[in-house]
Amino acid sequence: MTVRMLGASLLSLGLLAGCAQTPVLRGTGDLGVVIERATGSVQVVEHSGRTSLGSVPGLGDLSHAHVTYSRDARYAFVFGRDGGLTKVDLLTRTIVKRIIQAGNSIGGSVSQDGRLVVAQNYQPGGIKAFDADTLELVSEVPAEYAPGKFSKVVGLADVPGQKFVYALFDAGEIWVTDFSDPKHPKTTRFPAGQQPYDGLVTPDGRYFMAGLFGEDGIALLDLWHPEKGVRKILDGYGRGEEKLPVYKMPHLRGWAMAGGFAFLPAIGRHEVLVVDTKTWTEAARVPVKGQPVFVMARPDGRQVWVNFAFPDNGWVQVIDTPTREVIKTLAPGKAVLHMEFTPRGDNVWVSARDDNRVTVFDTDTFEVRKTLPATAPSGIFFSHRAARIGF
């Protein structure tokens, strides 16, 4: 072999080696995670091809888990029941960092500028702000509502202006904390009602709503005019009627807003409440199969999908928003815990914990498009949440 031929062969081998080492490039816009609660892992999925890319283990107790995303949608922040906060890289499917920041945590959110990750805690109560890059503690706000008395924090949501809004279950209050100066947050307190159990922010970031477990009604705070205080809406919607035993608390975070109306789960009832968002008064009630847990609108608002607490948690019903009637009843599997729409609403992913699967439905035809195996799946969270207020 001549020197020229040898050089050409080495060059070819070098080019081939270079090609072999080139990483696969992709965006993160169609990625997401499925919580596998039994194994303390998350399964990374992509919804364009409806496939699983792999699992990331080692995330601790995910019996009640929540996920939010970094501003660029590359990193998932996973909050676990054991107080763990884990930063997961969706592209490499690895843990970037994991900390135990509390005794019991049920969720969190990311600030408007993407620089802070804020965790809401049951134990010891309060919120903590961390640097989104390093997960180093920046500041914290203990939920001490009276001398020596601390409350569980629920319903945390990010809102414009580097602020976070959340409810204090034991205190019966809504707090708004401003992190414009991250190391010196400022908090404003508002009386809300008996035992606010969850909260949500309207898509424009204006209104915060907290459901009340201790009384019939919803606490509503106008964040444009906080000086007006909290207003009670749907006051006494179940007055004079016996409540059913509550087997699972409804989640307002998955609420539905469609056509100028909000669709909300009625606690202790087999009904979805319809609220006129111009007047914040009750407009209708939709009878459903069981006690609603998640009441979620398809992104175009034309449909509302509902799942239920035990013993009806094997069913999902679809409400047509113009007629406010149930148009489809589906049986995706045993113990349906969560649903997540693809960004434009062509598909919805539904987890069935006890059947160890996730089913993908076409939202027009209700046909099954794909079934994916998962170990005791619960929450499903797609990365487009990174661009939405209150998630």
Side-chain angles (χ1 to χ4, degrees), residues 197-198 200-203 209 218 233-234 237 250-267 271-278 280-288 292-298 300-307 317-327 339 341:
Y197 65 86
D198 197 8
L200 62 93
V201 171
T202 52
M209 302 169 65
I218 303 286
I233 64 173
L234 304 183
Y237 61 78
H251 285 261
L252 292 184
R253 186 59 58 92
W255 80 317
M257 190 168 182
F261 294 90
F263 292 73
L264 302 168
I267 190 168
E271 292 177 334
V272 170
L273 304 176
V274 185
V275 182
D276 186 330
T277 57
K278 293 180 181 178
W280 295 107
T281 57
E282 182 181 320
R285 302 184 186 194
V286 181
V288 288
V293 176
F294 283 100
V295 177
M296 306 178 74
R298 198 171 72 177
D300 65 354
R302 180 58 195 266
Q303 295 174 353
V304 169
W305 288 56
V306 186
N307 75 324
Q317 289 192 306
V318 184
I319 298 171
D320 176 64
T321 54
T323 62
R324 299 171 187 163
E325 295 179 352
V326 173
I327 58 171
M339 304 170 288
F341 289 96

Side-chain angles (χ1 to χ4, degrees), residues 10 113 204-205 291 299:
L10 292 173
D113 65 3
D204 58 4
Q291 293 183 25

Side-chain angles (χ1 to χ4, degrees), residues 126-127 141-146 149-151 153-157 163-168 171-178 186-192 208 221 223 230:
I127 62 174
V141 181
E144 187 175 13
Y145 61 95
K149 294 184 177 181
F150 295 84
S151 174
V153 170
V154 295
L156 177 80
K163 297 178 181 179
F164 291 81
V165 189
Y166 48 101
L168 278 67
E173 295 182 350
I174 292 172
W175 288 14
V176 181
T177 299
D178 188 338
K186 297 180 179 179
T187 299
T188 306
R189 300 169 57 171
F190 301 90
F208 179 78
L221 177 64
L223 297 170
V230 171

Side-chain angles (χ1 to χ4, degrees), residues 86-166:
T86 309
K87 184 176 181 178
V88 176
D89 188 330
L90 297 181
L91 295 183
T92 63
R93 297 189 293 282
T94 58
I95 292 176
V96 177
K97 188 170 183 179
R98 173 173 165 79
I99 61 173
I100 301 297
Q101 57 84 32
N104 189 337
S105 180
I106 63 164
S109 195
V110 174
S111 62
Q112 186 177 33
D113 65 3
R115 296 182 179 181
L116 297 176
V117 180
V118 176
Q120 64 175 9
N121 294 320
Y122 264 18
Q123 181 64 38
I127 62 174
K128 291 183 178 180
F130 300 88
D131 184 288
D133 290 329
T134 65
L135 294 191
E136 297 296 324
L137 181 65
V138 176
S139 58
E140 61 181 303
V141 181
E144 187 175 13
Y145 61 95
K149 294 184 177 181
F150 295 84
S151 174
K152 302 179 185 70
V153 170
V154 295
L156 177 80
D158 59 282
V159 292
Q162 291 296 101
K163 297 178 181 179
F164 291 81
V165 189
Y166 48 101

Side-chain angles (χ1 to χ4, degrees), residues 204-272:
D204 58 4
R206 176 171 180 176
Y207 295 98
F208 179 78
M209 302 169 65
L212 301 176
F213 183 70
E215 57 184 298
D216 290 336
I218 303 286
L220 178 73
L221 177 64
D222 185 345
L223 297 170
W224 289 9
H225 299 286
E227 70 280 357
K228 295 182 179 179
V230 171
R231 170 186 173 189
K232 184 76 66 64
I233 64 173
L234 304 183
D235 188 14
Y237 61 78
R239 184 177 289 118
E241 300 178 36
E242 184 178 356
K243 276 188 178 181
L244 297 171
V246 178
Y247 294 104
K248 184 174 177 61
M249 296 288 279
H251 285 261
L252 292 184
R253 186 59 58 92
W255 80 317
M257 190 168 182
F261 294 90
F263 292 73
L264 302 168
I267 190 168
R269 303 184 60 78
H270 291 188
E271 292 177 334
V272 170

